[in-house]
Amino acid sequence: MMRNALARIGAATLALAMTTTALAACSPSEGSESGDPTTITMLVLGDKPTNGRLEAMLDKLNERLEAEANADLELFYVEWADWQTQYNTQLLSGDDSIDLITTATDWLFAWENAEKGAFLPLSEEMLQENAPRTWEQVNADGHWDLTKLDDGQIYFIPEDNYTQYTNHGFFYRGDWAAEAGIPDGTITKFEQFTTYFEWVKEHQKDAYPWDIAGANDAALTGYLQGHTDGQTIQQISAGNYFPFQTTEADPYTVTSWYMEGDELLQAAELAKKWNDIGVWREDALNYDGDTREEFYAGLSGADQHHTQTFVTQIVDNMTKKQPGSDPKFFYWGQENGNVFKDILTHGAMAVNATSKHPEKALEVYDIVRNDEEAYKLLNFGIEGTDYVVTDDGELAYPDGYDSSTDALGSNFWAGRMDDFELDKVTDAPNKGEIYADLDAVAKEYPYSTLIVNKDMIDPTLAAMGGVLSEYLPQLQYGKFDDPAAAIEEMRQKLRDAGYEDARESIQSDMDAWASERGLK
Amino acid sequence: MSHVVAAKGPRKVRADRSDYLLRGSSYLTVTAFAAFCALPFILIVSASFSSESAIMREGFGLLPKDFTFAAYEYIFRAPRQIIGSYVVTVVMTVAGTSLGLFIIAMTGYALQRKDFPFRNQISFFIYFTTLFSAGLAPTYIWISRYLGLRGNYLAVFLPLLMTPWLIILMKNFMRTVPYEIVESGKVDGAGDFRIFFRLVLPMMKPALATIGLFLALGYWNEWYLSSLYLGSTVEFKPLQYHLYNIINTANALRNSVAGSNVSITELPSNTLKMASAVVATGPIVLLYPFVQKYFVSGITVGAVKG
Amino acid sequence: MVMQASVATPPRVGQHEIVRTRRRKTLLGRIVQHRVLLLMCLPAIAFFVVFSYAPMPGAWIAFTNFNYRDGIFGSPFVGLRNFEFLIKSGQLWLLTKNTILYNVAFIVLGNILQIALAIMLNEIRSKYFKKISQAVMFLPYFISVVLIGVIAFNLLNYDTGALNALIEQTGGDPIKIYSIAGAWPIIIVLFQLWQSTGYGSIVYFAAIMGIDNSLFEAAAIDGASAWQRIRYIILPSLKPTFIILLLFALGGIMQGNFGLFWNLVGNNAALFQTTDIIETSVYRMIISQNNFTSSTAVGLYQSLFGFAAVMLCNWIVRRINEDYALF
């Protein structure tokens, strides 16, 4: 009875609903007759600027693009609040007004999205024809292999000609380290931070030795990287963690530094020692403050992020806000040389699978990546108003420029080129040395082309993520009375969650990959 | 209803005392609870006028430390944005509340009419949607791909028009309308809609005020749908979403690899979060007394009936 | 008596006649006869068809290995694989238990407080006091959960928290509240009540305002005490509202208030034993996984549970008094 009635009501209202849908679906599509420039929309990450500078720049850039390719460029912003969800739902929407999509294999799910069909496979002919300069350069460097799925197709274009180091480490103060009795005020081993922290605790009453907020596994990872030859496989995350490694000594055997060896326990015991000293707030896990500002304000003895942050922000800010503080950087793996160069797909550009103008999109990308004038407009803005070049050839800002309100915000992070980049006046003076030192020791990430099939192990990875999120934060902050017992418990739970199955599955992908390349 | 009969028993003696006792304890309890509610808000207001460094050092207090307008200056330094957000939210709230209230009242009325044979089926049809929902991804695909509402204020406006809970609540309120009213209307030759519009609605002011308030709060507090369907596509974000963005940007960046590319030095912190709460809450709290009038002085059902 | 009854249960005047005539008509006849009432329901029906029923088939995504190319219904079927991680994590029972217990506490304590507050507000005669106190009790509802987390930390943390400052001033030893799992159910329930009681009491307050004044007058003439007034007039008239609230709450018995829990507890694993609910745990497991299918799967698990709870409860209510049942 009821079902009948429902069915009838349903039929009546469905008709109504369908009319609405049909109407909504028939929104007029923009015409692109020859003559009118085609608008290419590029998805970038960041908060949409509202100061008008972006529009002014785009007007100029588009003059050039119209002349060169009869196209206009527009930017579409995925904003920072909830950016992971935002980014993924944007792809889920199948929005065909987006043509170019900023992606990355380590933080923007490039492989997952390529496998799920969000990106258009790019044929060699298509690239050669529409993005010849890009094709040429990436091909000459032999980097197209970094962007292929196991079907052999290219899915995105790597930002492979742009040097940056996003290897993590501690920022600390050379002046305090020297006073703490560390030779030259330069820390060269992870354990020396104990001395440094103890000194800060003792002599700088206003400061936490290392004020830190929220979940962070830096201390554990930092120790593990410096005390093992473990090489983290960046393709496989479980929750917020990366639990699978190989070793340099045995590079084709998948293992995990959370599961094997004594180093995790040593790291946890050191963390416990730090916690007992009072290196961080008792409730650091729940703390939500801006710890970098605290470092700048002299309220924290250390801060933790990567080289890029150090050379572009820390040195400049500390020099201005804490004169004489002599900011220094200790990176993970510094003591044993276990440090990696950035993968070349930390930034990459894909073409939307539903784009209506994929060829034109590639054409536009080729111009903004390779044409110096277009490149500088897009990345730096209009010379004179958005930036100036000093007599030394460094990039500086005009008088009265306030970076918190006047930033251009074009956020093109998927095709920057060393050739066109300028040093900034705010960069660390020893930036060159830092890079040269890293260039000398840093290893290439060996598994850039490894493709791990996660379909079958996804449930296990999620479950492992659950276990790790329960234990690692507490190990990191030294909150277990008996770290050894806690680690044993965690390992058992990880095994119960299916660690061994996942490891074997990844191992077989690794074997296939290694034998295909004649490595094993 | 035999309880009521019992209440009529002759127990006059203690009536006054119990009344005063109840009234007295009501004042006390309500004052205490109101203070409990207000205290954190006072912390918020005072923090919003404090300097960031004072907060960092000493935490929150009941009075501002190093009094400053800095946080408000940050929020209002692009006044065009925030004014636009206010306008969007006010328009949506007013239009959505009126339209939603009308539809909800109409439906609630029809569903409580005992002589309406489909009322149970329709009630269940509506209630079922609270038990089973498609989930985020399917709903998102449906609204963005098939209805094409992405980047359209309608994607936020329409889904908030009504909820099963409000319809059933309205239906329940409408039950207090005596059937005699309907019958008297019918005798006078009025149609069902006319009875509803002319006779029933004017009696339902407390119900309309209550449900209207809930609808208005729903629109005013909304940020989730905006984050899903609007994102950066509209020039003016609804107010709460605009503020949500301000609040969450710093958090999002600090905890992400994305930080590798961005400067987070200039991003807002504690005082700014607090100031945005004040900015978002202020106007609707001022609106509240106007609605409240209907709870207090609205003609109750009994009065009409008597 | 008829008048009093009408407060709680609608009158049944003429119902039997209507039922009898209805039986003789065809469906079409009934539709035509009640077309106006049907039309009045139509906008709402259309609304739920478009925004709730239409996407429902899409929940199929929970059983697929979804990809953008093939869409929801073309993607390969994988059975229950997307549900597996819940079981593999070994947490399913704990999470289910925590989620349900918190909701039970919220429902029971929340309703008691809301009803008590509504009754007390009704007793207050001063118009200004009533207005101001009600507006103040509304404030917490507007405060984003992000801020609630910040406030809680500022009150409770070990190093600079207001509570510990107070304890130290009175000569006590500061407490490491963020390490004591046992304290958090109380803290979370308190924050939930703080945020929702003022808002929730509005419904009950409106229901009290809707009570026939003549009832109170009659009671006053008969010399009923304040307690009798509450016990025999107000509480019975709140019963239908309470039952509806209860049935709605039960539908969501497996759904937790993610924002509140996440912002109060966050990544503090020391507290998980007593504070981890389905939403927070799933969030930690699949946050970096770009995983629409697993989250939909979890949603289905929660819906199923809520569905069973409501069906059972509605059946019980119906047996006691048919008029109060939702359907």
Side-chain angles (χ1 to χ4, degrees):
Chain A
M1 251 280 283
M2 197 176 77
R3 198 172 297 161
N4 251 336
L6 283 183
R8 267 158 239 238
I9 294 163
T13 44
L14 203 63
L16 182 91
M18 276 159 64
T19 339
T20 332
T21 320
L23 283 176
C26 291
S27 55
S29 61
E30 61 214 87
S32 59
E33 295 88 355
S34 59
D36 283 346
T38 314
T39 299
I40 295 300
T41 305
M42 178 161 82
L43 182 154
V44 298
L45 279 100
D47 289 345
K48 193 176 184 173
T50 52
N51 53 22
R53 286 167 181 262
L54 182 79
E55 289 75 10
M57 176 277 284
L58 281 176
D59 282 347
K60 281 203 117 168
L61 177 63
N62 284 337
E63 278 172 31
R64 186 154 183 92
L65 289 175
E66 278 168 30
E68 297 259 319
N70 194 27
D72 284 333
L73 179 67
E74 257 181 25
L75 300 185
F76 177 93
Y77 286 82
V78 166
E79 302 195 293
W80 286 128
D82 299 325
W83 61 274
Q84 284 165 313
T85 316
Q86 295 280 335
Y87 184 83
N88 289 324
T89 46
Q90 172 60 36
L91 297 187
L92 186 63
S93 75
D95 185 351
D96 60 8
S97 70
I98 305 280
D99 303 290
L100 292 165
I101 301 174
T102 302
T103 186
T105 57
D106 54 349
W107 63 284
L108 282 173
F109 320 101
W111 294 122
E112 287 84 348
N113 285 319
E115 267 169 20
K116 285 185 177 156
F119 302 153
L120 189 74
L122 305 170
S123 70
E124 295 190 2
E125 299 72 44
M126 195 176 168
L127 284 163
Q128 281 160 356
E129 191 161 318
N130 300 293
R133 285 173 284 186
T134 307
W135 164 263
E136 200 51 47
Q137 175 254 304
V138 179
N139 199 41
D141 295 336
H143 290 153
W144 285 119
D145 276 351
L146 303 177
T147 66
K148 288 178 183 167
L149 275 183
D150 45 9
D151 60 1
Q153 303 247 46
I154 295 167
Y155 280 89
F156 38 84
I157 304 166
E159 184 181 70
D160 62 337
N161 203 12
Y162 177 69
T163 309
Q164 57 177 342
Y165 275 99
T166 58
N167 60 319
H168 282 251
F170 275 133
F171 313 138
Y172 63 98
R173 299 176 54 143
D175 57 342
W176 291 1
E179 285 190 60
I182 292 164
D184 192 28
T186 300
I187 292 175
T188 51
K189 283 177 75 75
F190 196 82
E191 287 86 344
Q192 281 177 301
F193 277 99
T194 308
T195 318
Y196 177 74
F197 290 153
E198 273 172 336
W199 184 89
V200 176
K201 189 79 195 171
E202 186 78 10
H203 296 91
Q204 296 292 333
K205 291 294 176 200
D206 286 344
Y208 288 94
W210 175 27
D211 201 3
I212 173 171
N216 182 306
D217 58 350
L220 296 180
T221 316
Y223 186 92
L224 289 167
Q225 206 171 318
H227 292 79
T228 70
D229 60 347
Q231 330 187 83
T232 297
I233 303 176
Q234 296 176 12
Q235 283 91 325
I236 318 149
S237 64
N240 274 326
Y241 303 94
F242 293 84
F244 290 98
Q245 285 76 28
T246 60
T247 59
E248 199 178 3
D250 186 4
Y252 306 111
T253 302
V254 179
T255 174
S256 168
W257 59 25
Y258 295 131
M259 296 300 289
E260 311 291 339
D262 299 328
E263 287 83 3
L264 180 63
L265 178 58
Q266 292 159 11
E269 278 169 347
L270 184 62
K272 189 165 163 49
K273 191 170 172 188
W274 288 0
N275 184 54
D276 293 343
I277 295 171
V279 165
W280 39 68
R281 286 163 202 260
E282 167 65 28
D283 303 322
L285 259 177
N286 290 85
Y287 182 54
D288 188 29
D290 188 339
T291 52
R292 183 144 311 146
E293 279 301 326
E294 280 158 44
F295 185 55
Y296 293 156
L299 298 173
S300 173
D303 188 20
Q304 185 271 309
H305 211 240
H306 54 52
T307 307
Q308 209 66 18
T309 307
F310 183 72
V311 297
T312 59
Q313 296 168 36
I314 299 291
V315 173
D316 184 48
N317 273 291
M318 284 303 272
T319 314
K320 285 176 188 153
K321 295 176 183 167
Q322 297 289 325
S325 61
D326 185 20
K328 288 184 175 169
F329 182 52
F330 172 86
Y331 58 85
W332 310 151
Q334 189 166 324
E335 58 263 74
N336 63 353
N338 189 21
V339 60
F340 292 88
K341 290 187 176 153
D342 268 44
I343 51 169
L344 299 172
T345 47
H346 182 63
M349 188 63 83
V351 175
N352 188 5
T354 54
S355 163
K356 290 184 208 129
H357 323 284
E359 289 87 5
K360 194 58 91 181
L362 285 174
E363 235 177 286
V364 167
Y365 178 78
D366 203 43
I367 295 169
V368 295
R369 177 175 165 133
N370 297 290
D371 177 280
E372 184 161 4
E373 188 191 329
Y375 182 93
K376 286 190 166 158
L377 276 170
L378 181 57
N379 285 285
F380 310 142
I382 298 168
E383 188 167 358
T385 54
D386 290 320
Y387 71 102
V388 292
V389 179
T390 64
D391 298 338
D392 305 338
E394 286 185 329
L395 188 141
Y397 297 105
D399 292 337
Y401 181 93
D402 174 357
S403 66
S404 65
T405 49
D406 297 337
L408 179 66
S410 60
N411 300 358
F412 178 64
W413 301 330
R416 284 168 294 182
M417 302 283 271
D418 282 339
D419 307 352
F420 303 142
E421 286 292 323
L422 300 172
D423 286 337
K424 294 200 171 99
V425 284
T426 52
D427 282 346
N430 58 341
K431 175 180 164 182
E433 283 166 51
I434 293 172
Y435 280 8
D437 288 349
L438 279 167
D439 281 340
V441 288
K443 301 179 277 186
E444 293 283 347
Y445 177 61
Y447 310 113
S448 286
T449 56
L450 169 69
I451 291 159
V452 179
N453 179 6
K454 277 180 265 189
D455 277 358
M456 295 314 289
I457 57 172
D458 255 339
T460 301
L461 291 177
M464 286 176 67
V467 177
L468 292 168
S469 73
E470 195 183 333
Y471 286 89
L472 290 186
Q474 296 193 81
L475 288 171
Q476 144 85 26
Y477 287 109
K479 297 298 182 194
F480 286 116
D481 291 331
D482 182 355
I487 288 172
E488 211 25 72
E489 211 177 283
M490 175 183 87
R491 287 179 172 170
Q492 188 52 48
K493 281 198 187 175
L494 286 171
R495 278 190 286 270
D496 292 346
Y499 162 73
E500 201 48 49
D501 295 343
R503 198 199 62 79
E504 273 168 25
S505 165
I506 299 163
Q507 183 66 61
S508 69
D509 289 332
M510 175 73 83
D511 290 342
W513 172 82
S515 64
E516 207 173 280
R517 280 168 178 67
L519 297 165
K520 190 182 177 185
Chain B
M1 286 294 110
S2 56
H3 315 312
V4 183
V5 179
K8 287 183 173 176
R11 291 191 201 174
K12 229 168 181 155
V13 215
R14 300 171 57 196
D16 286 358
R17 223 181 103 200
S18 71
D19 272 341
Y20 288 125
L21 203 61
L22 176 62
R23 197 164 303 164
S25 56
S26 294
Y27 273 96
L28 275 178
T29 318
V30 170
T31 308
F33 191 76
F36 177 59
C37 289
L39 185 72
F41 204 77
I42 294 171
L43 292 180
I44 290 177
V45 175
S46 99
S48 73
F49 288 108
S50 299
S51 79
E52 188 70 33
S53 57
I55 296 270
M56 254 183 217
R57 275 193 315 272
E58 305 160 40
F60 290 20
L62 289 179
L63 290 173
K65 298 164 181 167
D66 291 355
F67 190 91
T68 168
F69 286 107
Y72 291 92
E73 275 163 17
Y74 187 99
I75 292 182
F76 285 100
R77 71 180 182 186
R80 209 175 100 80
Q81 284 300 315
I82 200 142
I83 290 168
S85 291
Y86 264 120
V87 171
V88 165
T89 296
V90 167
V91 169
M92 271 217 239
T93 304
V94 171
T97 306
S98 334
L99 183 60
L101 201 51
F102 180 69
I103 298 176
I104 290 173
M106 212 161 60
T107 315
Y109 170 75
L111 291 182
Q112 63 80 40
R113 280 274 296 265
K114 286 271 174 182
D115 58 339
F116 180 39
F118 305 109
R119 71 199 153 88
N120 271 335
Q121 287 92 323
I122 296 176
S123 293
F124 185 79
F125 182 80
I126 291 173
Y127 176 69
F128 182 75
T129 59
T130 67
L131 294 181
F132 187 86
S133 80
L136 167 70
T139 309
Y140 182 82
I141 293 176
W142 169 252
I143 290 185
S144 59
R145 278 200 199 177
Y146 294 94
L147 299 186
L149 288 183
R150 231 173 130 273
N152 189 327
Y153 286 118
L154 283 179
V156 177
F157 180 80
L158 291 176
L160 293 176
L161 274 178
M162 60 193 95
T163 68
W165 154 240
L166 292 181
I167 292 178
I168 306 287
L169 186 65
M170 181 62 94
K171 170 183 152 189
N172 200 42
F173 278 133
M174 291 278 186
R175 280 174 154 181
T176 57
V177 176
Y179 193 74
E180 291 91 324
I181 300 235
V182 179
E183 285 195 323
S184 72
K186 281 192 172 168
V187 170
D188 294 345
D192 282 323
F193 186 78
R194 211 183 146 80
I195 294 173
F196 160 74
F197 201 73
R198 294 284 155 138
L199 300 178
V200 177
L201 264 196
M203 293 169 55
M204 296 307 296
K205 276 184 191 158
L208 293 177
T210 310
I211 290 175
L213 181 67
F214 286 160
L215 279 173
L217 291 180
Y219 277 101
W220 191 268
N221 268 353
E222 143 54 42
W223 59 268
Y224 181 69
L225 293 172
S226 308
S227 89
L228 278 182
Y229 299 112
L230 298 183
S232 68
T233 56
V234 290
E235 187 175 3
F236 299 114
K237 297 176 178 117
L239 184 65
Q240 298 280 357
Y241 181 51
H242 181 65
L243 297 169
Y244 179 83
N245 258 350
I246 294 182
I247 291 178
N248 271 357
T249 301
N251 293 352
L253 285 186
R254 184 155 5 88
N255 299 325
S256 76
V257 232
S260 55
N261 285 314
V262 228
S263 152
I264 64 169
T265 48
E266 304 296 345
L267 288 169
S269 216
N270 272 325
T271 57
L272 193 84
K273 292 180 186 173
M274 301 301 150
S276 55
V278 175
V279 170
T281 319
I284 193 106
V285 171
L286 296 180
L287 174 95
Y288 184 69
F290 295 100
V291 184
Q292 200 178 26
K293 161 170 109 189
Y294 291 102
F295 297 144
V296 183
S297 65
I299 307 158
T300 58
V301 180
V304 170
K305 213 165 113 193
Chain C
M1 229 42 302
V2 172
M3 259 179 17
Q4 281 148 3
S6 71
V7 172
T9 55
R12 291 154 184 275
V13 187
Q15 199 190 13
H16 289 291
E17 286 81 350
I18 292 162
V19 171
R20 219 165 288 141
T21 45
R22 187 171 63 188
R23 289 238 170 86
R24 283 200 294 271
K25 295 211 170 174
T26 62
L27 181 70
L28 189 69
R30 280 191 283 151
I31 290 179
V32 172
Q33 185 193 346
H34 297 284
R35 63 190 179 280
V36 177
L37 289 177
L38 267 177
L39 272 175
M40 287 167 78
C41 293
L42 198 62
I45 293 173
F47 173 88
F48 288 104
V49 167
V50 173
F51 288 103
S52 299
Y53 284 92
M56 273 186 201
W60 179 251
I61 197 174
F63 304 96
T64 67
N65 179 15
F66 176 74
N67 71 64
Y68 300 113
R69 250 185 322 270
D70 303 321
I72 294 178
F73 299 103
S75 295
F77 176 75
V78 296
L80 295 177
R81 205 170 74 206
N82 295 319
F83 294 80
E84 261 175 41
F85 76 103
L86 271 179
I87 297 160
K88 284 195 164 177
S89 70
Q91 300 284 304
L92 189 57
W93 165 238
L94 176 78
L95 299 176
T96 306
K97 187 187 79 177
N98 280 351
T99 310
I100 290 179
L101 286 181
Y102 272 108
N103 276 322
V104 168
F106 293 163
I107 293 171
V108 172
L109 295 174
N111 276 295
I112 291 177
L113 257 180
Q114 289 163 13
I115 290 174
L117 205 60
I119 292 175
M120 290 179 175
L121 274 173
N122 185 49
E123 290 299 320
I124 282 167
R125 292 290 168 265
S126 157
K127 228 174 165 180
Y128 290 107
F129 185 87
K130 198 186 287 202
K131 276 192 180 183
I132 292 170
S133 60
Q134 220 173 7
V136 168
M137 289 186 290
F138 240 92
L139 285 178
Y141 182 75
F142 288 98
I143 296 175
S144 136
V145 279
V146 179
L147 299 188
I148 291 183
V150 178
I151 293 169
F153 187 83
N154 269 284
L155 291 175
L156 303 175
N157 82 78
Y158 180 81
D159 297 54
T160 56
L163 187 67
N164 275 322
L166 201 71
I167 291 176
E168 277 182 90
Q169 271 171 20
T170 54
D173 286 330
I175 312 169
K176 296 182 177 176
I177 299 170
Y178 278 92
S179 309
I180 306 170
W184 283 83
I186 300 168
I187 295 168
I188 290 172
V189 168
L190 273 180
F191 270 103
Q192 164 79 19
L193 293 178
W194 171 75
Q195 188 163 43
S196 62
T197 302
Y199 173 80
S201 68
I202 294 292
V203 181
Y204 286 116
F205 186 66
I208 294 176
M209 293 314 294
I211 296 176
D212 192 338
N213 258 337
S214 60
L215 281 181
F216 291 122
E217 283 156 19
I221 291 166
D222 290 346
S225 73
W227 317 124
Q228 286 168 326
R229 202 167 63 227
I230 293 171
R231 170 76 182 80
Y232 298 115
I233 301 178
I234 296 182
L235 286 184
S237 71
L238 295 182
K239 207 150 77 180
T241 311
F242 170 71
I243 288 173
I244 292 176
L245 266 166
L246 182 70
L247 287 172
F248 270 86
L250 283 175
I253 191 87
M254 281 287 278
Q255 267 129 39
N257 182 349
F258 172 78
L260 182 72
F261 284 75
W262 180 250
N263 282 291
L264 283 177
V265 178
N267 286 302
N268 190 343
L271 309 177
F272 285 171
Q273 196 62 25
T274 58
T275 61
D276 216 11
I277 56 170
I278 295 176
E279 274 82 357
T280 48
S281 181
V282 167
Y283 179 76
R284 290 200 314 274
M285 288 190 219
I286 63 178
I287 174 167
S288 66
Q289 226 90 7
N290 186 13
N291 202 327
F292 297 117
T293 53
S294 290
S295 54
T296 311
V298 174
L300 283 180
Y301 169 70
Q302 293 171 306
S303 293
L304 221 64
F305 229 91
F307 186 73
V310 166
M311 283 305 176
L312 180 71
C313 199
N314 193 62
W315 180 77
I316 295 171
V317 170
R318 182 173 281 278
R319 304 229 18 195
I320 298 168
N321 184 341
E322 199 174 338
D323 281 314
Y324 293 152
L326 262 182
F327 42 84

